[in-house]
Amino acid sequence: MIGALIGAVVGAEVGAGELGTVMTRDESIIELGSWLRTPPGLYLLAWEQDCLDHAVTDAFGFHALQLGLPEIEGLRANRMPHRWVASTSLVIPEALPMQPQLDAQITTLAVQEPIQLHCEFDALPFPDASIDLVVLPHSLEFARDPHLTLREVERVLVPEGRVVIAGFNPASLWGLRQRAGRARRGVGLARGDAAPGLFLPRAGDFLGYWRLRDWLRLLGFEVEGGHFGCWRPPLNSERWLERFAWMDRVGERWWPVLGAVYTVMAVKRVRGMRLVGLLKQDRRQARQAAVVAHRGGALNAAPRNEREAALAELES
């Protein structure tokens, strides 16, 4: 019986791996955009849009960049003069119904075009230290190499530049539902293109919150904070999602880290330099020479003051 159980677990992992490799990135991105139009997708989109608005509204600079998922207007609350949205897909997505910002202190202005740039996220066409703000809404989860993508973001960011990342939380009810669905498909209990049993999009490697924080620290970022949201159960019915609206209030208070989605805000830090060795010694000698010159000037000034006093007495 134990051997059969181990075989089932191994089969589930192999099936999940094959499933992730069969889908192309374009298909996975399109599937994510379609999922955002479902009741749970709109529920997540409303929370995530509000969180991104508050995260980018106080970020100042000249150049802002959003990588992936143009359905979300991650830069609409930012006031930088140059804002771009980049995508790896040539497919122009349909606009989603976005809720207006209820906070009167935040002004929003949508980007003129949904996509201005087509590129690979692990090879951005920007010079070093040229971008002030980068927003990644679920971009690392569908990237070819998420760690390389994050390293590329660190390269293009200016010192003290900001990065805002949004992702699905594997340690949540939604994450458990997704893993259970993949296990069922792996052992052959559910098959087909409709992906029965899966709650979230099929493709994508969901990164844990603490794992992402470790990656950011290794790249020299300072994590300013993070937020969790969407504590309602993984239900596809809008009616049942509304019935469990009370779980958002309870979850935020009692189990915040179990939210279905999270956002992380980090700042790129660049360490300063200190003079050591010969440079420090030369600087000390230059300072001592300046003090000697100042003292010499004071000694020479005394006789001149005495002559001026003597001339003043003769004139009187």
Side-chain angles (χ1 to χ4, degrees):
M1 184 175 180
I2 296 178
L5 181 59
I6 295 175
V9 173
V10 172
E13 294 179 354
V14 173
E18 293 177 353
L19 185 63
T21 57
V22 168
M23 293 188 64
T24 63
R25 283 188 300 165
D26 287 346
E27 292 175 348
S28 63
I29 294 172
I30 294 173
E31 185 183 16
L32 178 59
S34 302
W35 182 85
L36 289 175
R37 292 175 173 81
T38 62
L42 293 175
Y43 161 60
L44 179 141
L45 187 64
W47 181 89
E48 197 165 299
Q49 184 67 67
D50 181 73
C51 191
L52 290 177
D53 289 345
H54 285 83
V56 304
T57 186
D58 292 332
F60 297 97
F62 297 95
H63 306 95
L65 177 65
Q66 176 179 333
L67 298 180
L69 202 60
E71 290 88 352
I72 296 180
E73 298 178 0
L75 299 176
R76 71 173 188 176
N78 188 259
R79 290 165 283 181
M80 294 188 188
H82 305 287
R83 299 175 298 166
W84 304 293
V85 179
S87 176
T88 58
S89 175
L90 297 176
V91 179
I92 304 298
E94 297 180 2
L96 291 175
M98 305 300 298
Q99 294 185 359
Q101 178 55 244
L102 301 180
D103 193 344
Q105 297 182 354
I106 297 179
T107 58
T108 60
L109 178 62
V111 181
Q112 297 180 357
E113 299 180 4
I115 299 177
Q116 292 91 2
L117 182 64
H118 298 279
C119 64
E120 297 292 342
F121 296 162
D122 52 8
L124 297 176
F126 295 99
D128 298 350
S130 59
I131 304 296
D132 300 282
L133 171 66
V134 179
V135 179
L136 295 93
H138 304 281
S139 303
L140 297 179
E141 300 163 346
F142 299 94
R144 295 183 302 182
D145 189 338
H147 195 274
L148 184 59
T149 299
L150 201 59
R151 184 179 295 273
E152 187 71 0
V153 170
E154 187 273 338
R155 181 187 68 84
V156 301
L157 273 177
V158 300
E160 304 300 320
R162 296 178 179 272
V163 59
V164 182
I165 304 173
F168 290 108
N169 184 15
S172 64
L173 293 178
W174 292 25
L176 293 176
R177 169 75 179 274
Q178 185 75 358
R179 286 199 294 271
R182 286 182 174 178
R184 291 183 58 191
R185 292 176 61 85
V187 298
L189 297 179
R191 293 192 180 276
D193 295 336
L198 295 182
F199 183 71
L200 299 173
R202 289 176 289 174
D205 182 16
F206 302 149
L207 301 175
Y209 173 77
W210 298 106
R211 181 185 179 188
L212 180 59
R213 288 174 64 104
D214 291 340
W215 284 10
L216 290 170
R217 289 194 180 98
L218 288 175
L219 292 175
F221 285 93
E222 179 181 343
V223 179
E224 285 192 331
H227 300 283
F228 290 87
C230 300
W231 291 272
R232 303 181 194 182
L235 302 171
N236 291 316
S237 173
E238 182 179 2
R239 179 181 178 184
W240 281 100
L241 283 174
E242 292 297 332
R243 288 186 177 183
F244 284 93
W246 57 272
M247 292 190 66
D248 288 337
R249 299 187 300 270
V250 177
E252 186 176 5
R253 178 178 176 84
W254 296 106
W255 52 82
V257 296
L258 299 181
V261 65
Y262 63 84
T263 58
V264 179
M265 288 75 69
V267 179
K268 177 183 176 180
R269 300 298 188 190
V270 177
R271 305 302 178 187
M273 296 185 298
R274 297 183 60 184
L275 297 178
V276 295
L278 297 178
L279 291 176
K280 189 175 181 179
Q281 184 177 0
D282 294 343
R283 189 173 181 180
R284 187 184 298 112
Q285 292 177 355
R287 188 185 301 111
Q288 293 176 356
V291 172
V292 173
H294 178 70
R295 290 178 179 175
L299 292 176
N300 293 332
R304 186 180 60 181
N305 294 335
E306 293 178 358
R307 289 196 298 270
E308 292 179 353
L311 290 175
E313 292 179 357
L314 292 175
E315 293 178 354
S316 62

